[in-house]
Amino acid sequence: MSEEAKPVIVADATKGIKVNAAVVAKPFRDEIKAKVAAMKAAGLEPPILVGLLANKDPAAKQYAEWTGKACKNDGLRYELRTLDDPIDVERALIDANDDPRVHGIIVYYPIFGQQESFSGASQDDYLRDSVSHKCDVEGLCHTYRSNLYRNVRYLDYPKNMKKCLLPCTALSVVKILEKCPGCYDEAKPVGKKLEGKVVTVINRSEIVGRPLAAMLANDGADVYSVDINSIYLFRGGRLEPCPDDTPESCVRKSSIIVTGVPTKSYRLTTEWIQPNSTVVNVASFKNVDEESLLKIPGVVYVPMVGKVTVAMLERNLMRLYEQFHSPTARQQQQGPTDVAEPVSPTWKLLHIYTAVVATALLVTQLMRK
């Protein structure tokens, strides 16, 4: 097993442990810093992320602040555009889509919630699908969402050079589980690394719960998706109703439990959780009694995923830049020409950038070992 694939979190057989997700986020952010340094050395500006904020939700505002702070710390550019009237978001979104200086866009939801609109039952869903796939750092537009549910991992089959982006919060949970003991089996091939595992996800929102259940099922797990009035099993690309199951029966069968209930009053019954389980909380509230949970032998508890979510946001931004906006990507999109062109300063910078990025990443990998 490579150093990168090894779990960085070690369980305690006598009791539960609480994990700071920053240990998972750090290598991803170090990689971003190395790439930004290489770009600057080559005379290239780092990618820019534009955030659109048009609500008073404290969680959305806090996420926007975290995003800006993290981007600044890691050398990325970030511009927050605050809108007083939600009706102006669509226009601002179209402007950002069409702006060649913008490499990534994030819209801080909820804006309209489930309010009826001219464009359909939910204006927020309409806005998500209006973000260009070339700028969608959240991985929630129709292109990425439909590919996720069909387990399509690349945009350019059969070349398979451009990866699909995945939703940041759901992806952060996957990256955390990869570093927890007894979850992902890196010796198995892609699509089977969670084979034999049973997972319960208590949340089926379109932003976190549903895509996360699909991602874990795409990796081979049986995933129980528990929502307020129904339970479904995600397995092998199919969705099966579970009328005879209860939240208790699902959790008792699971070695991985993800909680994402957005209410302060909800608490998962810790007596249902088996020893040596991994519990990840993605809600802004604590969905489990920490004290009683940590008395269970071998439990690994991750109370917050925010730092890894921001790292995945930065990672998605860099991937968008490299796949669609970098000098190399733009040259490929233009296609070859029959007339020999003189070597431009941009091309020269590109060669320098490529060499420096490769060197920086090599140094980063060596420092980890």
Side-chain angles (χ1 to χ4, degrees):
M1 184 182 293
S2 68
E3 289 295 322
E4 188 173 353
K6 286 182 180 178
V8 298
I9 298 163
V10 180
D12 186 331
T14 65
K15 62 181 180 180
I17 64 165
K18 181 178 175 181
V19 176
N20 185 342
V23 69
V24 178
K26 187 179 185 303
F28 293 106
R29 295 185 65 175
D30 286 346
E31 183 175 343
I32 294 296
K33 290 174 184 177
K35 288 187 175 184
V36 169
M39 293 180 70
K40 290 181 177 178
L44 297 171
E45 288 262 50
I48 183 168
L49 173 64
V50 168
L52 301 177
L53 180 64
N55 64 54
K56 306 298 183 184
D57 182 13
K61 186 176 180 182
Q62 186 179 51
Y63 187 25
E65 291 172 353
W66 282 350
T67 307
K69 192 176 297 184
C71 286
K72 182 179 179 181
N73 289 342
D74 295 343
L76 297 167
R77 294 181 291 161
Y78 176 73
E79 179 183 323
L80 180 62
R81 300 177 183 178
T82 304
L83 304 161
D84 294 328
D85 191 339
I87 205 68
D88 295 329
V89 174
E90 183 179 2
R91 180 71 260 170
L93 179 53
I94 292 171
D95 290 344
N97 274 337
D98 294 340
D99 188 343
R101 298 179 302 106
V102 175
H103 306 127
I105 299 169
I106 178 171
V107 182
Y108 295 102
Y109 301 101
I111 297 175
F112 294 92
Q114 294 304 309
Q115 177 180 327
E116 289 281 348
S117 70
F118 181 83
S119 55
S122 170
Q123 179 76 355
D124 283 2
D125 290 341
Y126 169 75
L127 291 173
R128 270 188 282 274
D129 285 338
S130 299
V131 182
S132 166
H133 74 279
K134 296 181 179 182
C135 294
D136 182 18
V137 294
E138 295 179 283
L140 289 170
C141 68
H142 176 75
T143 298
Y144 293 132
R145 202 170 65 248
S146 61
N147 282 351
L148 165 62
Y149 294 131
R150 292 183 293 123
N151 200 12
V152 175
R153 302 190 180 215
Y154 291 89
L155 289 166
D156 57 344
Y157 177 85
K159 292 181 179 179
N160 292 348
M161 298 295 289
K162 295 181 178 179
K163 285 188 174 183
C164 291
L165 269 65
L166 295 167
C168 298
T169 303
L171 182 57
S172 73
V173 175
V174 170
K175 294 304 178 184
I176 288 168
L177 293 177
E178 286 178 349
K179 298 304 180 184
C180 290
C183 294
Y184 273 77
D185 185 347
E186 295 297 335
K188 291 183 177 180
V190 171
K192 295 187 176 182
K193 295 181 186 295
L194 282 178
E195 201 171 50
K197 300 295 181 184
V198 178
V199 182
T200 293
V201 178
I202 306 176
N203 174 295
R204 203 183 306 131
S205 71
E206 297 301 323
I207 296 176
V208 180
R210 186 184 294 273
L212 176 59
M215 288 164 67
L216 297 175
N218 288 346
D219 284 339
D222 284 352
V223 184
Y224 288 100
S225 174
V226 178
D227 208 10
I228 191 167
N229 56 7
S230 61
I231 297 175
Y232 286 93
L233 176 64
F234 284 65
R235 172 193 283 162
R238 298 180 64 85
L239 185 69
E240 303 172 12
C242 303
D244 297 327
D245 272 299
T246 64
E248 178 179 357
S249 69
C250 294
V251 172
R252 287 188 180 277
K253 287 185 278 189
S254 300
S255 61
I256 300 170
I257 302 103
V258 181
T259 59
V261 181
T263 56
K264 193 174 183 178
S265 59
Y266 176 80
R267 286 290 186 277
L268 175 65
T269 304
T270 53
E271 285 77 11
W272 302 347
I273 300 170
Q274 302 302 306
N276 305 311
S277 295
T278 299
V279 180
V280 181
N281 179 59
V282 300
S284 53
F285 302 102
K286 288 185 178 180
N287 286 168
V288 63
D289 182 75
E290 187 175 301
E291 184 178 354
S292 59
L293 177 64
L294 294 179
K295 292 178 181 177
I296 302 173
V299 158
V300 173
Y301 172 50
V302 185
M304 298 175 66
V305 301
K307 291 180 180 179
V308 186
T309 300
V310 172
M312 293 303 101
L313 187 75
E314 292 185 345
R315 185 172 179 260
N316 279 355
L317 175 63
M318 187 61 75
R319 179 161 289 169
L320 287 172
Y321 176 82
E322 292 171 345
Q323 294 187 164
F324 301 111
H325 306 289
S326 69
T328 304
R330 291 186 187 279
Q331 181 73 14
Q332 290 172 345
Q333 289 166 24
Q334 290 172 1
T337 59
D338 296 327
V339 179
E341 296 286 344
V343 179
S344 67
T346 301
W347 244 157
K348 291 179 181 178
L349 289 174
L350 172 61
H351 289 304
I352 297 172
Y353 165 65
T354 303
V356 177
V357 164
T359 303
L361 292 178
L362 178 60
V363 170
T364 301
Q365 292 296 326
L366 290 173
M367 289 176 66
R368 287 185 199 168
K369 294 184 178 181

